[in-house]
Amino acid sequence: MRKITAVILLLPNVVFAHSGAATSFSTAFFHPLSGLDHLLAMILVGAIACQFSKTNSHILIGTFLVGFLSSAVVTQGVIMDSSMIETALAASLVLLGIVGAMSYFFCSSALIYALIAALIVGIFHGIPHGQELSGVGIVGLLGLGLASLGVTKAVEILSSKVAVLRGISCLMVSGINIVAGISLLSIR
């Protein structure tokens, strides 16, 4: 955990995926994959999803994507304070990490919390992408959505297929998200 924290503190520009505007399908597709904050969120949503039934896992991933894409649509071209957005992103990693740990220990009763957290995290992570998607339109949203769906589903499928990974991946990524979120909040 110390090494992860050190890496996050030493590479603050790599942590956040808000380096510039997406100008095509391919740049929009790779854009959420370029920042550690978005990768951690997508990986944990997938790891949390494998804790629930197949139907509920689809609903959880869909909830994350609806929040992510709807906030990206609403904020296209809107200029907002980036430090406020980055703080919200970091706090959302902590929230999602806590909910991920809850889903590991209290699986059946944690679904509603996981859905709420996935929606909030999706909304917060969609805002900066919407700001950077001005002019790309539906093609950019398609790229964003496919990349996000691909990562979350891949983690969910991998974690559910390998029985040993099912709980461990969720708990481990939850801890990493909490440490990463707190580390990012401390440098704000």
Side-chain angles (χ1 to χ4, degrees):
M1 288 295 193
R2 287 182 187 177
K3 289 179 183 179
I4 293 169
T5 303
V7 168
I8 290 170
L9 290 173
L10 291 173
L11 301 172
N13 292 332
V14 174
V15 173
F16 295 110
H18 319 128
S19 55
T23 57
S24 66
F25 174 84
S26 61
T27 57
F29 181 86
F30 289 108
H31 195 68
L33 305 176
S34 66
L36 186 59
D37 60 331
H38 294 296
L39 276 176
L40 285 173
M42 291 184 295
I43 289 169
L44 186 53
V45 168
I48 292 171
C50 85
Q51 301 297 312
F52 302 108
S53 69
K54 188 173 248 181
T55 301
N56 288 340
S57 70
H58 293 317
I59 292 169
L60 181 67
I61 291 171
T63 301
F64 171 75
L65 290 174
V66 164
F68 182 70
L69 293 174
S70 62
S71 67
V73 167
V74 170
T75 59
Q76 277 193 359
V78 175
I79 297 173
M80 297 174 79
D81 179 20
S82 64
S83 65
M84 182 177 69
I85 294 169
E86 302 297 356
T87 301
L89 290 173
S92 73
L93 290 178
V94 175
L95 170 69
L96 193 60
I98 291 168
V99 170
M102 283 177 52
S103 74
Y104 174 76
F105 290 109
F106 311 107
C107 184
S108 60
S109 60
L111 179 61
I112 189 68
Y113 301 112
L115 289 169
I116 292 167
L119 182 63
I120 291 169
V121 169
I123 289 169
F124 284 153
H125 286 262
I127 291 170
H129 292 291
Q131 294 175 331
E132 296 165 350
L133 279 178
S134 292
V136 180
I138 193 73
V139 173
L141 289 173
L142 184 61
L144 273 176
L146 286 175
S148 301
L149 177 63
V151 171
T152 54
K153 274 310 279 181
V155 170
E156 185 250 338
I157 290 168
L158 178 65
S159 295
S160 63
K161 295 293 182 202
V162 182
V164 175
L165 291 178
R166 184 175 208 124
I168 295 172
S169 66
C170 184
L171 202 54
M172 197 168 64
V173 178
S174 293
I176 292 169
N177 267 20
I178 292 169
V179 169
I182 291 171
S183 299
L184 292 172
L185 286 171
S186 69
I187 62 173
R188 289 280 132 219

